[in-house]
Structure formats: structure tokens, C-alpha cells
Amino acid sequence: NISLQERINDLKVRHQNLEKMLDDETHRMQRDDAHISDLKKQKLAIKDQIENLKVIPRPFKSDGRRWLDNDHL
């Protein structure tokens, strides 16, 4: 079972690999626009996964509402 940080790191490596593939494909003489579109979608999906894993849930108040950063003001 991998840790959350290991999962994020794995996704970052996959994102970087897709970036390289995308760069290679866009500089080809006969580039494949469908493949480029697919690579971009994969990159975006991985970026979304990374961002979702980074979200730290805030604790709930006794009334069921989440604490907000300015609740102490």
C-alpha cells in the first residue's frame, strides 16, 4: 500500500512523461492532432488527480458546517 505522497509523486512523473510525449508529438513533421488531443486530456486528468489528492479536508463544526479560514475573526 503506497502512501499519499508516493501516489502524488507517481502521478507527477506520469504527468512529466506525458509532457515530453506531447512536446515530441507537436514537433513532428506530420503530427497527429488526435494523438495530441488525447495526450492533453490524459495530462489534464492526471493534474486533476494530483490536485484532488492535495486537498486537505477541513474539520466540521458541531453544527455540520466546515470551518473557514476567517472563522476566528
Side-chain angles (χ1 to χ4, degrees):
N1 197 6
I2 66 173
S3 73
L4 179 61
Q5 189 59 51
E6 289 171 326
R7 176 71 177 140
I8 291 172
N9 291 342
D10 178 56
L11 288 168
K12 285 181 178 181
V13 168
R14 289 176 53 198
H15 190 268
Q16 290 170 348
N17 290 339
L18 285 167
E19 180 67 33
K20 172 81 170 89
M21 292 171 63
L22 184 58
D23 187 55
D24 292 345
E25 186 63 37
T26 56
H27 290 96
R28 288 182 51 199
M29 290 292 278
Q30 294 185 355
R31 61 190 235 177
D32 182 345
D33 289 334
H35 185 61
I36 289 172
S37 178
D38 183 54
L39 291 172
K40 287 181 178 181
K41 287 177 187 175
Q42 289 179 54
K43 266 186 61 183
L44 183 58
I46 289 173
K47 183 179 177 184
D48 288 345
Q49 288 178 44
I50 292 169
E51 292 304 313
N52 287 336
L53 290 173
K54 287 182 177 180
V55 173
I56 300 172
R58 299 194 184 270
F60 286 94
K61 294 181 178 181
S62 60
D63 64 2
R65 294 183 301 135
R66 286 201 183 271
W67 284 97
L68 302 175
D69 290 335
N70 60 356
D71 276 354
H72 64 282
L73 299 176

